[in-house]
Amino acid sequence: MQTNNYNYFCNLPVELIGIISQITKIPTSVALVSRRFCVASELGNSYLISDILKKINTEISSRTNLDLVKRIELKRGTPNFSHSQAVKYLFSSYENIIGKEGTKSICDKNKGDLYSIIIESALKVRDLDSENDENLMRIWPILKEEIKQCTSTSGKNFPQMLSKKDENIIKTADEIRLWLEENSFKLFHISTLSLNGINITSIPLEIVTKLPRLRQLNLFNMKHSRHISPREIQRKFQNAGKCINIVVT
């Protein structure tokens, strides 16, 4: 009776199979290591992604974090989107938000503990969301005045660019975002924005993405601010495919 060597390999620890495959170069053993590793990895990542999403939903919820969770849940409902891909997608998304240097710092600190790396990244993003909200609220009064300055080609003002009703309703960062999203056509005339001494710590993404004709950003009385980094601001605009002149004094 012919012996099926493949079945014998199945009974060996995956580490030993790996050693055998390296020494003997037997294709069947290499394939077996690959398959067994993928199965084990997928099972581990199924628990990992479930624990991470639960933690984010219950303890680290923020606008960006919850949006990422929603995207992953939608992707998990599609064929061929594995648990391993979900973990990779979440890690890559946080890396894009925080930046490679920030992600490297978190990875170095947690020494390969993927759960801790992603959770700490989520905490960082939650803080960034909060910071973004505060900065958007500080910028809104200036942006609001710029919006109301729009004039027609005949020199007449558009009185309804921002109604009194809208001004009274808009109180939170989310309400500002909603108005900007629904009234994007009212922002095309803004080419210069002066944010002078308003103690912001960064430029919100909404300023980068929702002002299509913005060409100059004035940051007067902020030259010695420890929070504002022209290089970081420039990087945000470049990532959005925009070229802008930043003046810091």
Side-chain angles (χ1 to χ4, degrees):
M1 186 172 101
Q2 187 176 3
T3 303
N4 188 337
N5 292 326
Y6 185 83
N7 288 334
Y8 280 118
F9 275 125
C10 286
N11 296 321
L12 296 176
V14 68
E15 295 84 359
L16 184 54
I17 300 172
I19 294 171
I20 294 172
S21 68
Q22 289 179 356
I23 296 173
T24 63
K25 309 297 183 184
I26 299 174
T28 54
S29 63
V30 175
L32 180 58
V33 171
S34 178
R35 279 194 291 272
R36 290 185 66 181
F37 177 80
C38 287
V39 170
S41 177
E42 182 66 6
L43 180 61
N45 281 320
S46 70
Y47 294 122
L48 177 63
I49 193 67
S50 294
D51 288 346
I52 288 171
L53 296 185
K54 180 179 179 181
K55 180 83 171 179
I56 291 174
N57 273 320
T58 57
E59 298 180 34
I60 322 176
S61 60
S62 72
R63 179 172 46 84
T64 302
N65 282 330
L66 292 179
D67 181 60
L68 287 174
V69 170
K70 183 179 179 180
R71 292 184 189 182
I72 288 177
E73 294 293 2
L74 289 173
K75 286 179 176 291
R76 290 172 81 186
T78 61
N80 302 322
F81 187 75
S82 66
H83 299 298
S84 301
Q85 288 173 313
V87 173
K88 183 178 180 181
Y89 176 84
L90 191 57
F91 177 86
S92 298
S93 297
Y94 282 134
E95 184 180 46
N96 289 334
I97 297 169
I98 299 171
K100 290 187 176 180
E101 289 184 6
T103 301
K104 183 180 183 302
S105 176
I106 292 173
C107 290
D108 291 343
K109 176 183 175 182
N110 291 283
K111 302 185 185 304
D113 182 349
L114 191 53
Y115 175 84
S116 297
I117 289 170
I118 293 179
I119 291 301
E120 186 166 336
S121 298
L123 288 167
K124 175 68 174 175
V125 167
R126 183 187 64 181
D127 292 342
L128 289 174
D129 279 347
S130 177
E131 180 184 10
N132 193 70
D133 286 352
E134 291 174 7
N135 287 320
L136 188 59
M137 290 291 291
R138 290 189 180 111
I139 291 172
W140 175 242
I142 295 174
L143 183 60
K144 184 170 60 176
E145 291 306 311
E146 289 291 336
I147 293 168
K148 292 191 290 186
Q149 289 302 315
C150 182
T151 58
S152 69
T153 53
S154 63
K156 296 181 179 179
N157 289 327
F158 288 100
Q160 292 302 315
M161 288 298 283
L162 184 64
S163 67
K164 288 292 184 182
K165 180 180 178 181
D166 284 341
E167 287 192 65
N168 293 331
I169 290 175
I170 300 171
K171 301 293 185 182
T172 67
D174 282 340
E175 288 167 349
I176 294 171
R177 286 190 193 93
L178 181 61
W179 190 92
L180 293 175
E181 187 68 33
E182 294 179 346
N183 296 274
S184 58
F185 64 96
K186 297 181 180 181
L187 305 170
F188 277 82
H189 66 285
I190 301 175
S191 60
T192 300
L193 190 62
S194 298
L195 307 177
N196 305 333
I198 58 173
N199 198 30
I200 56 174
T201 56
S202 67
I203 300 299
L205 185 62
E206 290 76 16
I207 301 301
V208 176
T209 60
K210 300 300 181 184
L211 304 180
R213 296 185 62 192
L214 185 65
R215 294 295 177 266
Q216 180 156 319
L217 185 65
N218 297 328
L219 303 174
F220 300 153
N221 301 323
M222 296 187 190
K223 186 174 183 179
H224 301 292
S225 172
R226 293 181 292 106
H227 303 295
I228 287 291
S229 168
R231 182 180 178 183
E232 180 65 20
I233 295 171
Q234 196 68 259
R235 185 180 68 82
K236 282 187 176 182
F237 280 98
Q238 287 173 349
N239 288 345
K242 296 183 177 180
C243 181
I244 186 171
N245 182 38
I246 299 174
V247 181
V248 181
T249 62

